[in-house]
């Protein structure tokens, strides 16, 4: 199966996550990452922005086309 959706669950917390098994990747929105780490979405935005600035990841290969 190329793409599937699974529920990541810890205790009462559950998060629907898209998995691309062909490319061995997991895709989360900024809001989903914020929920997962119990932080405000703006903290995720700043962190991801810094990752791109430092060249740790390439934005074109790590963002959805419709983002």
């Amino acid at each position: 199966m190329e793409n599937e959706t699974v529920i990541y669950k810890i205790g009462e917390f559950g998060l629907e996550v898209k998995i691309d098994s062909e490319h061995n990747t997991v895709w989360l929105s900024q809001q989903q990452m914020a929920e997962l780490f119990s932080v405000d979405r703006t903290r995720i935005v700043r962190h991801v922005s810094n990752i791109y600035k430092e060249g740790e990841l390439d934005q074109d290969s790590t963002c959805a086309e419709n983002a």
Side-chain angles (χ1 to χ4, degrees):
M1 179 179 288
E2 187 174 313
N3 291 308
E4 64 181 292
T5 301
V6 297
I7 303 294
Y8 175 78
K9 189 167 177 127
I10 297 177
E12 295 295 316
F13 176 76
L15 185 66
E16 191 173 289
V17 178
K18 296 199 184 302
I19 297 176
D20 181 347
S21 55
E22 181 180 331
H23 297 99
N24 202 29
T25 57
V26 177
W27 291 93
L28 282 82
S29 68
Q30 293 171 349
Q31 184 60 46
Q32 287 174 310
M33 285 186 266
E35 290 174 22
L36 180 63
F37 294 106
S38 299
V39 298
D40 186 78
R41 190 185 68 81
T42 58
R43 290 184 65 186
I44 299 297
V45 172
R46 276 183 296 189
H47 186 69
V48 171
S49 179
N50 287 335
I51 288 171
Y52 292 141
K53 279 184 204 171
E54 293 173 6
E56 187 177 337
L57 290 174
D58 175 55
Q59 189 169 1
D60 292 335
S61 64
T62 57
C63 286
E65 290 178 14
N66 61 349

